[in-house]
Amino acid sequence: MDELKYNFAYLDEQTKKTIRRAILKGLSIPGYQVPFSSREMPMPYGWGTGGIQVTSSCIKQDDTLKVIDQGSDDTTNAVSIRNFFKRVTNVQTTEDTNKATIIQTRHRIPEIPLVEKQILIYQVPTPEPFRFLEPSEFETRKIHALKEYGIMHLKLYEDISKNGHISTSYNYPVLVDDNYISAPSPIPKFDNPKMNNNPAIQLFGAGREQRIYAIPPYTKVISLDFEDYPFEATKANAVCQLCGATDSYLDEIIIDNAGGRMFVCSDTNYCQNNLLKKIYNP
Amino acid sequence: MNMNEIIKITDLTKSFGNIIACSSITLEVYPGEIVGIVGESGSGKTTLLKCASGLYKPDSGEVFFRSDDNYVQNICNISEPDLRQLMRTDWSFIHQNPRDGLRMNISAGGNIGEKLMAIGNRHYGNIREAAAAWLEKVEIDSSRIDELPSNFSGGMQQRLQIARCLITEPKLIYMDEPTGGLDVSVQAKILDLIKKLVEELNIAAVIVTHDLGVVRLLADRVLVMKDGHIVEQGITDQVLDDPHHAYTQLLVSSIIQV
Ligand SMILES: Nc1ncnc2c1ncn2[C@@H]1O[C@H](COP(=O)(O)OP(=O)(O)O)[C@@H](O)[C@H]1O
Ligand SMILES: [Mg+2]
Ligand SMILES: [Zn+2]
C-alpha cells in the first residue's frame, strides 16, 4: 500500500487548519453550526465524511482511534473507516473505549463514561434540528439568530397529541448551554443524558451539509420537553442476553432462520468487557 | 416620549418607483379603538398597514407604538428581534387568506397554542386546555382540536386564525380584508365574532377593507383613502351618513344597502 501518496491523515495541512478554525469557533459558541467547506473524501457522503474530516483535522501521531457504527466496532462502515485511518495515519486503533483518545461514532455514545482526554466525533447526516419544520436555510438561520425556538415545542406538542407521548426516539432535540437548540445526530434518546456535563470534547461533522458544531467539556445539554411530559431516556425493557447488563442500550437481533430474537448490548465493547469480567471473576 | 395613543403614525410616505402608495399619512389609534381604512383597490391601504406593522420601511415619517408599560418604540427603526417579540406579544396580524396565517401541516390545537409556546409556556396540559377554550370561543367544536386546518371550511379556517392571533390577548390587531375571501353569508358571522372578541378583550384594531359594510359594522372611526392620500376621516356613522368629500360620496352611494 502506498501511504506515502497522502499527507498525514489524508487532508493537506491547509485544509486541516481551516477545519480546526471551524472547530474552535464551534467550541466557543456551543451548539452553533459553523459552515465549513467540505472536501471531497475517497468515500461517499453517507459514509460519514463530515466526521472523517473532523477526525483527520484532530488526529495526532500519538492518538488511539476507535470507530463505532451502531455501537459496534466491526460493522462494514466502522471497519473501513478504521482501516482508512490506519492507512493514512498509522496511529494505533482500539475497540476499547477506555484506551481510545479519539472516538468517531455513528448512532451511539459509548456506555462507559468518557473522560477529559477523549474526543467524541459524531458523523452527522442532518445538522439542522429545524430542517423538517422549515426547509429554507435562510429561515432556519433566522430561527437560531432570533431564538424563535417555540416551534420545536410545537413539534413535541403535535407528537403528544398524536401519540399520547413524545414519540421522537432518535435525534431528540437538545438545548446546548442554555442557548442553541441542536440536533444530537441520530443517537437514541437513551444517550441524550450522556451529552450533558460530559468531560470529553464532543464534535459534530456534517459533510454533505458542510457544518461543524461542538459541545465543550462540562457543558449543560438539556433534552427539550414539557413540565407534564418530562423527557425520558428510554430503552427496551429487557436484559442483555449475552452479558446480563440491565443498564445498557439494547438491540434486538434475529438469531436463526425461524425468526428467533434476542436482546444484546448495542455497545459491543461494553458487552465484551462485561463477559470478560464474568469469566475472570466468576 | 409620552403618548396616549397605542399607535401613532406621523407624516408617513412610501413609494414604489414613481408610484406613491402612501402620501403624508397621519393616523392615531387609541387603546380599545377600532379604526377602519377604506378605499378602492390600489389606494394604498395594504401598504399603510404593512408600514404600520413594520413589514415595510416607509421612505419618511414615523410609526410609534406604545406597550402596556408606556414604553414607546419607533417601528420604523426597530430591530428585527424586537419587532418579532412585539408580534408574539403585543400585536397580531390577521391575514385575508387564512393559509397565510396558519400552519397547514399542524393541528388546530397546535396552531392556536403556538404563540403560548413561543412566549415560554412549557405545560402541555395548560396549552391544550387554552387551545380548546379558544376553539369554543371562535365557535368551533373543541373535539376537532387535533384536526388539520385543511379539514375545515374557509370560514372555519378564518376562525382558527383569529383564535391563533388572539390567544395571547394582544393589545392591537391589524386586519387586511379579513373576510375578503369568504361567502357573504359566512362573512357576517365572522365579523360579528371579531366585533365580540375585540370588545371583550378591549383590543385596538386597524381593519383595512374595500367594503363599507364591514366598516359600518366594526369601526368606531373611519379613514377614506384615495391614491395614497387620506381624503376624509371621522366617526364612522358621520362619515358614512354625511360624507363631505366627493370621493366618499361616490363610495357611499355605490354600496348596496342591506
Ligand atoms: N410591493 C410593491 N411593489 C410595487 N408596487 C406596489 C407594491 N405594493 C403596492 N404597490 C402599489 O402601490 C399602490 C397601493 O397598493 P396597495 O397598498 O396594495 O393598495 P390597496 O391595498 O389599497 O389595494 C398600488 O398602485 C400598487 O400597485
Ligand atoms: Mg390591499
Ligand atoms: Zn451485553
Side-chain angles (χ1 to χ4, degrees):
Chain A
M1 284 200 260
D2 34 20
E3 47 274 316
L4 288 177
K5 264 202 201 156
Y6 304 110
N7 188 34
F8 177 76
Y10 185 77
L11 293 175
D12 63 84
E13 292 306 313
Q14 193 52 43
T15 301
K16 285 195 223 169
K17 252 189 216 168
T18 58
I19 293 176
R20 283 180 206 137
R21 263 199 289 273
I23 293 171
L24 287 175
K25 185 167 179 183
L27 283 166
S28 38
I29 319 170
Y32 172 74
Q33 298 167 53
V34 184
F36 80 110
S37 87
S38 184
R39 294 305 147 111
E40 287 287 330
M41 297 302 283
M43 61 266 288
Y45 281 125
W47 283 73
T49 53
I52 291 168
Q53 290 175 78
V54 171
T55 299
S56 290
S57 308
C58 294
I59 201 162
K60 305 182 290 356
Q61 224 97 45
D62 60 354
D63 271 312
T64 305
L65 177 70
K66 172 181 163 80
V67 181
I68 47 175
D69 175 23
Q70 303 276 9
S72 164
D73 296 81
D74 45 23
T75 65
T76 318
N77 188 301
V79 171
S80 41
I81 292 173
R82 192 166 58 231
N83 285 344
F84 169 75
F85 278 111
K86 255 192 213 162
R87 245 180 86 186
V88 297
T89 66
N90 220 8
V91 303
Q92 291 220 307
T93 60
T94 183
E95 299 194 0
D96 194 340
T97 303
N98 285 319
K99 291 201 180 111
T101 56
I102 294 180
I103 303 169
Q104 181 169 329
T105 182
R106 188 166 80 140
H107 300 312
R108 285 304 315 278
I109 300 175
E111 303 290 0
I112 296 171
L114 301 179
V115 295
E116 279 184 9
K117 66 175 186 350
Q118 294 178 309
I119 306 177
L120 182 62
I121 296 170
Y122 298 75
Q123 303 167 204
V124 180
T126 312
E128 177 48 68
F130 292 94
R131 181 61 68 235
F132 64 97
L133 289 165
E134 177 54 69
S136 144
E137 175 71 15
F138 180 78
E139 284 303 319
T140 53
R141 282 186 169 231
K142 226 173 192 172
I143 288 173
H144 289 292
L146 301 176
K147 295 284 167 343
E148 298 209 315
Y149 282 163
I151 183 179
M152 191 57 92
H153 273 90
L154 178 58
K155 199 253 169 192
L156 299 179
Y157 169 96
E158 292 287 289
D159 220 5
I160 298 171
S161 300
K162 277 199 198 94
N163 308 300
H165 61 274
I166 298 176
S167 58
T168 304
S169 54
Y170 289 88
N171 206 1
Y172 190 105
V174 291
L175 181 65
V176 176
D177 197 24
D178 289 323
N179 199 18
Y180 279 102
I181 286 187
S182 303
S185 96
I187 58 171
K189 66 178 176 180
F190 176 81
D191 284 343
N192 273 28
K194 298 176 189 164
M195 302 178 88
N196 181 42
N197 206 32
N198 196 313
I201 295 173
Q202 300 176 72
L203 304 177
F204 300 77
R208 186 178 28 218
E209 306 258 345
Q210 318 211 55
R211 291 289 182 280
I212 284 171
Y213 51 109
I215 302 175
Y218 303 109
T219 300
K220 183 173 167 191
V221 180
I222 296 299
S223 303
L224 301 180
D225 62 3
F226 286 105
E227 289 155 20
D228 46 344
Y229 285 83
F231 171 82
E232 279 178 293
T234 49
K235 67 177 200 65
N237 186 18
V239 175
C240 172
Q241 283 168 258
L242 292 178
C243 75
T246 55
D247 56 354
S248 73
Y249 190 75
L250 301 172
D251 285 337
E252 195 177 17
I253 56 168
I254 295 170
I255 47 171
D256 55 36
N257 287 340
R261 286 154 186 276
M262 71 188 275
F263 282 106
V264 296
C265 293
S266 127
D267 183 337
T268 48
N269 175 251
Y270 182 71
C271 199
Q272 275 158 19
N273 284 345
N274 283 344
L275 282 171
L276 286 176
K277 267 186 233 155
K278 275 196 179 166
I279 292 165
Y280 291 111
N281 315 300
Chain B
M1 178 178 168
N2 258 328
M3 63 185 242
N4 297 322
E5 302 87 345
I6 186 162
I7 196 120
K8 185 161 150 181
I9 298 171
T10 56
D11 210 16
L12 181 146
T13 295
K14 173 77 183 169
S15 317
F16 299 101
N18 45 24
I19 298 169
I20 304 174
C22 290
S23 175
S24 302
I25 303 285
T26 292
L27 162 66
E28 294 104 28
V29 181
Y30 289 86
E33 186 186 34
I34 305 180
V35 174
I37 299 172
V38 290
E40 64 192 15
S41 175
S43 57
K45 307 182 297 292
T46 294
T47 304
L48 176 57
L49 213 56
K50 286 189 170 170
C51 288
S53 56
L55 295 174
Y56 284 165
K57 259 197 187 339
D59 305 330
S60 61
E62 316 283 0
V63 177
F64 295 105
F65 173 76
R66 179 171 61 83
S67 304
D68 258 357
D69 51 2
N70 285 327
Y71 178 57
V72 175
Q73 283 169 287
N74 187 346
I75 302 305
C76 301
N77 51 32
I78 193 172
S79 71
E80 184 156 14
D82 286 348
L83 180 64
R84 291 219 183 184
Q85 176 65 18
L86 275 183
M87 287 181 176
R88 282 197 290 264
T89 54
D90 286 44
W91 75 43
S92 230
F93 203 114
I94 296 176
H95 299 264
Q96 170 173 1
N97 187 343
R99 283 168 181 272
D100 296 333
L102 293 172
R103 292 188 189 274
M104 298 306 285
N105 57 345
I106 295 287
S107 69
N111 265 291
I112 301 178
E114 180 175 354
K115 270 213 221 168
L116 293 180
M117 293 179 246
I119 60 173
N121 194 321
R122 294 290 175 261
H123 191 285
Y124 175 84
N126 292 350
I127 293 163
R128 197 166 169 81
E129 208 171 285
W134 265 96
L135 273 176
E136 296 287 343
K137 258 191 185 157
V138 296
E139 291 152 20
I140 297 175
D141 195 315
S142 58
S143 68
R144 305 191 66 175
I145 191 164
D146 293 326
E147 289 182 38
L148 290 178
S150 50
N151 281 2
F152 295 166
S153 68
M156 284 169 79
Q157 287 181 11
Q158 199 53 302
R159 290 166 189 274
L160 202 55
Q161 190 190 184
I162 291 167
R164 174 180 161 89
C165 285
L166 297 189
I167 189 163
T168 48
E169 305 200 359
K171 293 286 156 267
L172 174 67
I173 51 172
Y174 293 111
M175 295 179 266
D176 195 351
E177 311 271 7
T179 55
L182 303 173
D183 290 346
V184 180
S185 59
V186 180
Q187 278 188 22
K189 281 191 180 158
I190 301 265
L191 290 172
D192 281 339
L193 178 70
I194 291 175
K195 186 177 168 64
K196 186 182 120 206
L197 292 173
V198 165
E199 281 171 2
E200 201 176 293
L201 300 170
N202 196 29
I203 302 172
V206 180
I207 180 163
V208 152
T209 176
H210 65 279
D211 184 344
L212 289 183
V214 170
V215 162
R216 194 184 282 280
L217 183 72
L218 285 183
D220 303 312
R221 242 173 358 110
V222 63
L223 286 79
V224 182
M225 278 188 82
K226 177 174 169 30
D227 299 334
H229 293 270
I230 293 176
V231 295
E232 181 160 2
Q233 59 176 304
I235 308 291
T236 305
D237 289 342
Q238 282 175 11
V239 172
L240 297 189
D241 294 341
D242 181 20
H244 287 197
H245 194 276
Y247 177 72
T248 317
Q249 289 164 359
L250 201 66
L251 271 186
V252 170
S253 63
S254 63
I255 69 156
I256 303 145
Q257 300 286 342
V258 272

